Structures are given as structure tokens and as C-alpha cells.
Amino acid sequence: MSFPHSVTYFLLCSISVIYTPLSLAHDAQHPLAITSSLSMDEQAARLSQFFDKEVIVSGPKVVDCTLSGGAKTQCLQIEVQSVTDHEQGPWCPNTVNEGIQKGGMMFYDGEVYGIDGGFIKNLAQFFNDDQWQLFNPKTGVVNVTRTKKACAAAAKPDVEDEYRNYCVQCQVSYMGNALTTTYIIPIKPVIDKGLQRANEFTGYGVAFNGVKFDVRAPIEHILGAYTLAPFDACGGHVNLHVGYHYHAAMGCSTQWRSVATHAPIIGLAVDGHLIYSRLNADGQEPDDLDSCRGHRFANLGYHYHVNLPAKNQILGCLKGQQGCALDQKMMKNKQGGMLCDASQRPLRPLRPPKERPPKERPPKE
């Protein structure tokens, strides 16, 4: 796929950190393979070794859990905070004269677009819709959410009217104390009868720096309110519920080497399968991926490979039953009972965006 010229900045700035722990690299079998010689506690300990040390707040430990399809099993419980080695942001340029180094990017219509000042200046032409006006035409200053209150009003499906035509950026500093998430993930995946759609509570999984691999960004709701919610060069942005999270895997988080020719491991899915980067060592995507973007290779077992950033969907679906991802409030409310019963968690419906007259975009040149 070809990217618009302005987006080459992001591709050049992607950070790739590969670790090869000796304790795991020389194992005859994949470190997450369940074998008769490994207890569940030992397997949970191995899983936790993938996470950066500074990320782990508590755990790992083995707990009983009920998965999304009703299966009762044992899960890894680990509490993590996101600790990134890369810069978070920028997202919104301050003026229409600022270049791509001051802005983020947008996934739209199967393409990646750099959100620089020039892009914001020409939004009405890009969308063929004169209601787009994200900047002051006299000063060139871009309308940007610059407070926690503004972030809360704009970073939601039903954007408040006063924040229509805004570039939405939220800061981790708005969250106060460090956010943590407790992931409760099956140690041994339980394959479901049908493919599962990841839900917005758990996302697809977690990167080894503690950042959530989230579900697709609701682009239609964002654009429906005449707002932009750009991602940074690592495919992430901030909201007040999750904090900093990824909507694409751009190579910025911790990676672990697998086998010589295969892609590195970058995360753990909420169904217990590993998540690998998109490309193998030869620069090619595996040619036998299923609709969830998973396959089996050598002795690595079934695992996923992430999608192109432009797809706005890190994985296609989930093959196994899902565990839980609980924030601090959820953990506090669940004290005294089973922490994870994913079968009882309903999907939160998205409210439809405010309607606007449909207009056709000019054809691509």
C-alpha cells in the first residue's frame, strides 16, 4: 500500500525495540506452550516475563475465571500501567502553518493521512463539505481541546455542540494518579465455536509496555461531529477512560524475538493467544492468515499478526473466548467475588452520531 507523502514522517519515526531474554530464547518449545511439565503457576510466571518490569504493578497470579463464552478455566491475573519509551503525541497542530512534526495522523477510507496545518486548512475540500472549519480564518489558529473539561466534552460519540469543528487531543496528565488495568487472561486459550468480536471494555489485548491494543476507532462518529481525533506516530491517543492506548501497532512497543524467520512478539491477546508484528524477517506478511489474522507456524502454536495501520483494526477478530480487562474502579467494586466473569459483561452500544446531509467526496486522483 502506498501512503500519502506527508505520512512518511511517521514511518520513519517508528521505534523498534527488540529484546531476546536468554531464559526464554533457548527453550526447545515456545515459552507459552502448555506442557505437562509446567504448572499453571509456572506458565503464568512465564507470561509475565514478556512485560517490561516497570509496567507490572501487581501479580502475576493464577485465578479462577469465566470467559466470554461461559468456559470456566484458570487465568493469568496481572495489573499493569502503561510505561512507554516513546513520546506520546503530538496530535493537533496549533496553526495551519505548522508542518507534520507538530501534528498526528488519521486513518480514513483505507489510507493514512498526516494531520498537519495544511490538511486542516483544506478539510472542507477534502470532505467536500463546507461545514468543516477547524481554524480561525483570520489568525490561522486551530481549534484544539486544551483542558480536561474540553477533552471530556469532545472525546465521546455525542460531542457537545460547542466542540464541533475541533481537533481533539487529551493529555495523560488529565488522569491524575497513574492509571492501572488488571488483565485476567486465560493461560490456555479456549477456542470458541464461532469467531468473536473484541469488545470495547477489553480491546484486543495489551502490549508489553502496558498499553492497551484497543478496538477500532469510531471514525464515523468522530467525523460526524466535524471533529478530528488524531493518532500520534505510534498509533496512539488518550481518552479519559483508558488513558493512552493504541489503535494501530506501529512498531513502537517492546518486541520479543521468536524464531529467526518469523515476526517478533509484541503483545498478548485477551483470549490468551500471542500477538506478533505484521511482517516476518523477510519483510513479507504471512500468506496463510485467517480472518482473525491468525495462523500456526512451526512450534509457535496459533497466534495473531497485527493489521496495517490504515485498516483501523489491529486484529480481524478473536479465535478464543475472552477474559477481562478491569480498571481500578471495576476492581474495587469486585472485591470479595470472582473478578472475571466475562460471560456477564454486555457490549456497550455506541450511540449514533448526529446526522448530517451526506455529501460525496471528490474522486481520488
Side-chain angles (χ1 to χ4, degrees), residues 84-154:
T84 62
D85 290 330
H86 61 78
E87 179 184 2
Q88 297 178 6
W91 292 285
C92 299
N94 293 303
T95 74
V96 294
N97 296 318
E98 290 185 337
I100 196 62
Q101 291 81 3
K102 298 293 185 179
M105 61 181 172
M106 175 181 74
F107 310 143
Y108 181 74
D109 199 22
E111 298 283 353
V112 180
Y113 295 94
I115 307 299
D116 57 9
F119 185 84
I120 286 180
K121 187 176 182 179
N122 292 299
L123 278 171
Q125 179 181 356
F126 181 83
F127 288 112
N128 193 28
D129 186 342
D130 292 338
Q131 293 190 58
W132 281 96
Q133 185 65 46
L134 261 70
F135 67 98
N136 184 318
K138 294 182 179 179
T139 64
V141 173
V142 176
N143 302 330
V144 179
T145 55
R146 302 184 188 278
T147 65
K148 181 178 180 179
K149 180 181 177 181
C151 164

Side-chain angles (χ1 to χ4, degrees), residues 158-209:
D158 52 341
V159 175
E160 294 182 14
D161 287 342
E162 64 183 296
Y163 290 103
R164 293 165 72 85
N165 265 308
Y166 261 74
C167 189
V168 182
Q169 66 176 20
C170 302
Q171 304 292 341
V172 172
S173 59
Y174 298 162
M175 315 302 293
N177 296 330
L179 281 181
T180 68
T181 302
T182 298
Y183 287 92
I184 302 176
I185 296 175
I187 296 172
K188 184 175 182 179
V190 177
I191 303 303
D192 206 32
K193 294 179 180 178
L195 304 179
Q196 292 208 4
R197 175 175 64 93
N199 74 66
E200 62 184 80
F201 290 96
T202 58
Y204 288 110
V206 57
F208 296 133
N209 61 1

